[in-house]
Amino acid sequence: MAASSYDAIPNFGLLYDSVPLYAAREDIGFYVDEAKATRGDVLEVGCGTGRILLPIARTGAAITGIDASKQMLERCRANLSAEPAAVRSRVRLAQHDMREFSLGAQFALIIAPFRVVQHLTTVDDQLGFLGTVARHLAPRGRLVFDVFNPRFDKLVGADGVEREDTPEHRLSDGRTFHRAYRIARVRWIDQVSEAELVYYVDGKRYVQAFEMRWYLAAELRHLLARAGFRVREMYGDFARGPLVDGCPEIVVTAESASA
C-alpha cells in the first residue's frame, strides 16, 4: 500500500479534527440522508477520523470504513470509543488502498465523501477504484461521492502564496495550532492541482503535499459509463440544488448500468 500523506505529520488525526472548515462542511446531513434511504449495509471509502461515519452509525446503520492512513484510522477508533456500545457494534474499520481492496462483502450504499475521488489522479487509478466499488456493490446498490466544481479563475490565479485558512488557536492537548494552504502548481494537461496544506504546531512547520484531480461533469458521466455505471443524479450542492455554472460541488449518485 502506498504511504498516505496524512501519515507524514505527527498526531495528524487531532490536527484534522481541529480544522473549523471541516467541522462546518454541510455534507454530513446529505450522506446521513443517503444512508437512511438505504436498506442494507454502508461502506465509506476514505472514512478519515469518522466525521461522516459516526453520524451514520448513530442512525442505526451498519457501516464499514476504510482508509489508507493509519493515523486517521487510529483517530477514528479513538473517536468511536467515546460512542455508546450500540454505535460501536455497528462499525468496522480497516486499512485499505481505495484503488484495490477486497472485503468479502457487498454493500447497498458505498460513499466516498469530501473529494476522496480527487486523489485518483490517473485514469488507471480511477478505473481501478470504480471496478473495485462495482465488485462490492449489492444488486441495485448505489455509489455516492462528491468533487468540487472547478473554479478556473482561481486555478489560473494560483500563485504559490501561502494563505491562512485556520487562525491560531489551542488544541485540546494545549499546543498552539494554525494552518495555511497554497497551490504550488497547476498541471493543465493532467487536470491536477499540486496542493500543500501547511500545519504550524507550537512553531513547528509541517507540510502535507498532495495532488488533486479536478473533473468536469461531462467527464464524470463518461468515466462512470466506461466503468459500467449509470448516473442517477448530479447535484450542485449538498442541499440537492441543480448542477449549474458556478455551483460549488458536483455530487454524484450512480448505480450499475445493469441494475
Side-chain angles (χ1 to χ4, degrees):
M1 184 186 302
S4 169
S5 66
Y6 295 98
D7 291 338
I9 299 174
N11 205 9
F12 187 83
L14 172 61
L15 303 184
Y16 184 93
D17 281 349
S18 302
V19 177
L21 288 174
Y22 297 164
R25 277 183 63 80
E26 298 178 350
D27 54 351
I28 295 176
F30 172 85
Y31 283 105
V32 166
D33 287 346
E34 289 294 309
K36 286 180 177 179
T38 299
R39 294 183 179 179
D41 293 352
V42 180
L43 169 63
E44 181 178 1
V45 179
C47 65
T49 65
R51 188 179 62 88
I52 289 175
L53 178 142
L54 294 178
I56 289 177
R58 292 177 193 133
T59 70
I63 182 166
T64 296
I66 65 171
D67 204 287
S69 167
K70 179 181 178 182
Q71 283 205 59
M72 296 290 266
L73 287 170
E74 288 175 351
R75 179 71 177 182
C76 189
R77 291 188 180 98
N79 291 338
L80 179 62
S81 70
E83 296 289 327
V87 174
R88 298 198 304 270
S89 70
R90 291 191 283 269
V91 176
R92 292 174 55 209
L93 299 173
Q95 186 177 11
H96 289 285
D97 187 315
M98 67 184 293
R99 296 167 296 182
E100 178 60 42
F101 55 87
S102 181
L103 302 178
Q106 290 190 316
F107 301 86
L109 175 66
I110 298 179
I111 61 173
F114 202 1
R115 303 167 184 171
V116 165
V117 174
Q118 294 192 249
H119 291 282
L120 301 168
T121 58
T122 69
V123 173
D124 286 346
D125 285 348
Q126 294 152 15
L127 292 176
F129 164 70
L130 291 172
T132 300
V133 164
R135 292 192 296 273
H136 286 80
L137 267 184
R140 293 181 293 280
R142 293 174 298 125
L143 166 65
V144 183
F145 65 93
D146 63 86
V147 298
F148 64 68
N149 188 23
R151 284 279 305 273
F152 290 105
D153 55 338
K154 290 189 176 182
L155 291 171
V156 169
D159 55 11
V161 174
E162 275 189 32
R163 291 177 171 83
E164 185 175 80
D165 68 1
T166 301
E168 184 170 295
H169 63 280
R170 291 274 178 189
L171 296 171
S172 60
D173 61 8
R175 293 177 298 166
T176 59
F177 165 61
H178 70 280
R179 192 181 79 166
Y181 75 94
R182 79 182 190 106
I183 303 299
R185 179 187 176 199
V186 177
R187 303 202 312 265
W188 294 96
I189 294 298
D190 298 329
Q191 293 181 214
V192 166
S193 298
E194 297 179 4
E196 292 180 359
L197 293 174
V198 186
Y199 292 81
Y200 293 89
V201 185
D202 269 356
K204 295 181 180 179
R205 184 176 185 271
Y206 302 99
V207 179
Q208 180 197 9
F210 56 97
E211 298 180 341
M212 290 288 279
R213 172 70 150 81
W214 35 271
Y215 303 87
L216 300 179
E219 177 188 14
L220 285 173
R221 289 185 184 275
H222 281 280
L223 179 63
L224 286 160
R226 182 179 176 186
F229 286 87
R230 173 173 55 238
V231 173
R232 291 179 55 172
E233 300 285 352
M234 277 192 175
Y235 303 112
D237 56 42
F238 295 110
R240 302 179 192 272
L243 185 64
V244 295
D245 289 345
C247 63
E249 313 286 344
I250 304 176
V251 187
V252 180
T253 71
E255 63 188 359
S256 171
S258 60

